Amino acid sequence: MSGKGKKPNRSGRDPEDFHIEILDFDRDRDVYDGSLEHNIISQVEPEVPAPRRRRRRPEPDLASFAEERLPSARRENLAEFKEEKLPVSPKEKARRRRNRQMTAVTYGFVALFIVMMGYLVYFNQVRARDFVRNSHNARLDSMADHVIRGPILDKDGEVLAKTETDNDGAEVREYPYGKLFSHVVGYDVKGKGGLEAAYNFELLTSHAYFVEQFRNEMKGSKNPGDAIVTTLDTDLQRAAAKALGSSKGAVVAIEPDTGKVLAMYSSPTYDPSKVEANWKSLNSDKNSALLNRATQGSYAPGSTFKVVTALEYLRENGGDENYLYDCDGSFTYSDTTIHCYNGRAHGREDLEQSVANSCNASFSNIGLHLNKGKYRETAEDLLFNRKLPGPFAAKKSRFAVDKNTGPGEMMMTAMGQGNTLVSPYHLALISSAIANDGVLMRPYIVSRVENHRGKSVRKTIPFSYRHLMKSEEASRLKTYMRSVVTQGTGKVLNTSAYEAAGKTGTAEYSSDKSKSHSTFLGFANLDDPDIAVAVVVENADTSGVSAVSIAKAVFDAYYRQ
């Protein structure tokens, strides 16, 4: 049984012995008590002893060590030994100091890196476009060597500005509508202005198809620049210009629920195609023809500001149910007397009638009782003393009331005089927010940029800029402004063609009380407003032109379309 090559069994027994024992088990299974099976298993698989566990060495006891090893004299001060710190060598101190310095420097560099990354993100998202569009950017001059300046179009595709090549091969910028869009479209020489400046980069960028650009470069020809499609309505612009005539002033029209600027006209105007030739005379012009009065003009708002004062009264008093005032044509407090227009006595009136009648006496009375701090907060909610949103840089409006303002100044401010100043553009924003349930949409004047074949490159998507007031407050102001049209100073707008609402104003600008500007802000239609308009007419006392009549001309033109 122990043949050659057969592996020996680890138990040391012959496998046949196991077989015999199993056979014996089969014979005697009647008396089996389990001992044989245990014997077989134990022989086949001998028990392996469990591994010995290593005993962990106990942690050294410093106190016991000190007890055993220290001299008896030191053992008495064992408590002191436990608390005693080992002395630090001068080298170790120097090393630790260097580590602290290196850590401080490391954190400083990390903080500087984070600040730099933050500024880069801010610059790319907020400031980059302003730098690129800057007319003094030398890069734009090099772009003009390869791209023909693109056209500017109105909302219907009518050309407002384009570049043509004369007989000598020189490029000439043309403005088909002449002076009509001069301030808003601008000019492309002497630093540029208007849209020509604001969208300078886009006009000198070409998104022509690659093959076309390659072919032009091979021929040594320039590529056509992209077109700027604006939100401007030529019919409304023409209506505003005709109504304002030769008077100085400005008209702004905005679509309340989108923020589209539909019209922006300023007078006096100029011919943008002759700016370079007339540059010297334009800069010395006493009428400031180059000034865009719509965005850069500053005027006393007159009675249009009573809308702001009425809003503050509503906020401080939770409504207008308890307001009544008996107007006898004037209001006197201390040494200040305020007169209503032409000294007219309006009798007993509530807040709505006070707005409709444009009652100076009633609003002077209100002004005395307003909280100065909260009044300022409301004015700033309506963007006074703040940067105004929009496509052009606009002059910041001013509201001067503070804790030191005296009663006389409060009376004047409440009725729209005093030290308050506002631009026509800002009045249009306030009117637009009231019309749109208190929400001001971010104003814009370019709806899209497209290449010379009409393919869209970029579109402007309307979005909310800010809630200037609650919808309930806006609704109440709408009611007041509608009363101005139906029973007050704006009856010229009371027509069946549309449902207008607004607030008229007369703003004194001189110690001579007879000299005044005419102002207006309003909108149409009441339930679902289509257009908001603001108008300022300078020296209306001599021109005989009122702001509300100009607003009517713009409304009429809009609803004739």
Side-chain angles (χ1 to χ4, degrees):
M1 298 301 293
S2 58
K4 188 178 181 179
K6 185 178 290 186
K7 293 183 180 179
N9 190 276
R10 283 182 294 179
S11 65
R13 298 180 61 184
D14 194 304
E16 291 185 1
D17 295 339
F18 296 148
H19 179 66
I20 293 169
E21 290 180 353
I22 294 171
L23 291 177
D24 290 343
F25 162 72
D26 289 337
R27 286 197 304 269
D28 302 327
R29 86 179 110 199
D30 292 338
V31 294
Y32 170 64
D33 61 359
S35 61
L36 181 57
E37 183 182 7
H38 174 74
N39 186 37
I40 295 170
I41 294 173
S42 63
Q43 291 183 52
V44 177
E45 296 182 5
E47 292 185 3
V48 179
R52 296 176 59 188
R53 292 188 177 181
R54 291 179 92 181
R55 295 180 61 187
R56 293 185 60 185
R57 179 177 296 178
E59 296 291 333
D61 187 352
L62 183 61
S64 300
F65 175 81
E67 291 274 356
E68 296 173 2
R69 302 296 178 90
L70 287 177
S72 58
R74 292 292 300 277
R75 266 182 249 145
E76 295 175 359
N77 299 320
L78 184 60
E80 296 179 9
F81 171 79
K82 293 178 181 177
E83 297 178 359
E84 183 180 1
K85 294 182 179 179
L86 295 176
V88 180
S89 67
K91 288 186 177 180
E92 179 65 17
K93 289 182 178 179
R95 186 186 68 81
R96 292 180 180 180
R97 184 167 54 253
R98 286 195 301 270
N99 286 346
R100 287 194 298 269
Q101 292 172 348
M102 290 298 295
T103 300
V105 170
T106 301
Y107 279 121
F109 274 107
V110 170
L112 182 61
F113 177 77
I114 292 173
V115 171
M116 290 177 63
M117 291 301 296
Y119 179 76
L120 284 174
V121 172
Y122 164 77
F123 182 87
N124 284 323
Q125 296 296 320
V126 180
R127 301 295 304 279
R129 185 169 293 181
D130 293 335
F131 276 85
V132 169
R133 289 174 172 176
N134 193 304
S135 58
H136 299 289
N137 185 352
R139 179 188 171 193
L140 296 178
D141 294 333
S142 63
M143 292 172 67
D145 295 334
H146 305 283
V147 178
I148 299 174
R149 192 175 187 83
I152 299 176
L153 313 175
D154 78 351
K155 73 180 186 67
D156 297 319
E158 293 292 322
V159 177
L160 306 182
K162 63 180 179 178
T163 298
E164 297 287 353
T165 303
D166 63 16
N167 296 331
D168 298 328
E171 294 176 4
V172 179
R173 195 68 168 168
E174 295 182 354
Y175 300 89
Y177 285 90
K179 299 179 179 182
L180 184 62
F181 291 94
S182 59
H183 291 96
V184 62
V185 169
Y187 49 90
D188 75 327
V189 294
K190 298 295 184 180
K192 300 179 176 54
L195 289 172
E196 295 277 27
Y199 286 84
N200 194 26
F201 178 76
E202 286 80 358
L203 292 168
L204 288 173
T205 300
S206 178
H207 281 88
Y209 297 119
F210 174 77
V211 174
E212 186 177 356
Q213 290 195 43
F214 179 76
R215 186 168 59 247
N216 288 333
E217 289 177 6
M218 294 299 294
K219 293 191 302 183
S221 303
K222 290 185 177 183
N223 290 306
D226 292 341
I228 301 300
V229 182
T230 71
T231 60
L232 296 170
D233 187 318
T234 299
D235 290 336
L236 297 186
Q237 190 83 356
R238 190 180 284 116
K242 183 178 180 181
L244 191 56
S246 60
S247 300
K248 298 177 185 177
V251 182
V252 180
I254 296 176
E255 192 172 77
D257 59 350
T258 63
K260 291 180 182 178
V261 177
L262 303 177
M264 182 179 285
Y265 183 77
S266 175
S267 177
T269 187
Y270 61 91
D271 187 344
S273 63
K274 298 179 180 179
V275 167
E276 190 165 23
N278 300 332
W279 185 248
K280 186 175 181 180
S281 60
L282 285 171
N283 277 280
S284 60
D285 181 17
K286 64 179 182 179
N287 293 318
S288 303
L290 287 175
L291 178 70
N292 185 351
R293 285 166 163 80
T295 57
Q296 296 297 318
S298 288
Y299 304 94
S303 292
T304 58
F305 194 78
K306 288 172 181 171
V307 171
V308 181
T309 303
L311 174 60
E312 175 57 21
Y313 180 88
L314 292 173
R315 289 182 172 181
E316 288 193 31
N317 296 276
D320 59 1
E321 295 81 6
N322 299 321
Y323 185 79
L324 285 174
Y325 179 77
D326 289 314
C327 172
D328 60 5
S330 65
F331 179 83
T332 300
Y333 181 85
S334 186
D335 57 350
T336 303
T337 299
I338 303 295
H339 297 276
C340 288
Y341 186 69
N342 288 333
R344 180 181 176 182
H346 298 107
R348 173 159 287 203
E349 53 192 1
D350 57 17
L351 186 58
E352 180 178 339
Q353 292 167 330
S354 296
V355 175
N357 296 327
S358 199
C359 181
N360 292 339
S362 178
F363 275 88
S364 297
N365 172 60
I366 290 173
L368 283 177
H369 299 91
L370 294 179
N371 180 293
K372 298 172 186 176
K374 291 181 179 179
Y375 196 14
R376 187 179 183 91
E377 287 178 9
T378 293
E380 292 181 350
D381 284 346
L382 299 184
L383 305 182
F384 283 85
N385 302 329
R386 296 181 183 274
K387 181 180 178 181
L388 300 178
F392 300 131
K395 198 159 189 176
K396 188 182 294 186
S397 297
R398 184 178 74 191
F399 182 78
V401 168
D402 58 25
K403 62 181 181 180
N404 299 316
T405 301
E409 188 67 24
M410 285 293 291
M411 293 161 60
M412 297 288 288
T413 300
M415 55 173 280
Q417 292 289 158
N419 294 315
T420 306
L421 293 175
V422 68
S423 66
Y425 175 67
H426 190 181
L427 289 177
L429 297 185
I430 295 173
S431 179
S432 181
I434 295 171
N436 197 40
D437 298 326
V439 179
L440 176 64
M441 302 299 289
R442 186 173 184 84
Y444 66 97
I445 205 165
V446 172
S447 61
R448 66 184 182 276
V449 179
E450 59 184 29
N451 69 9
H452 72 295
R453 295 189 182 277
K455 182 179 179 181
S456 180
V457 174
R458 190 180 77 237
K459 290 184 179 180
T460 301
I461 299 175
F463 67 95
S464 170
Y465 174 72
R466 182 179 294 178
H467 284 71
L468 302 193
M469 64 192 75
K470 297 177 181 178
S471 59
E472 298 83 3
E473 295 169 336
S475 177
R476 198 72 194 122
L477 294 182
K478 284 183 182 180
T479 301
Y480 297 165
M481 295 167 72
R482 178 58 181 165
S483 294
V484 171
V485 173
T486 58
Q487 59 186 4
T489 57
K491 289 181 180 179
V492 66
L493 293 174
N494 196 12
T495 172
S496 60
Y498 48 84
E499 194 176 24
K503 183 68 192 80
T504 60
T506 302
E508 297 174 358
Y509 63 91
S510 169
S511 56
D512 184 348
K513 302 295 183 181
S514 64
K515 296 184 179 298
S516 62
H517 301 322
S518 178
T519 60
F520 175 84
L521 62 83
F523 54 89
N525 279 318
L526 193 64
D527 294 330
D528 186 18
D530 302 308
I531 179 174
V533 174
V535 183
V536 172
V537 182
E538 297 181 16
N539 313 116
D541 55 287
T542 57
S543 67
V545 178
S546 67
V548 67
S549 64
I550 295 174
K552 184 178 187 305
V554 175
F555 287 142
D556 290 346
Y558 183 89
Y559 289 104
R560 275 198 303 267
Q561 297 178 359

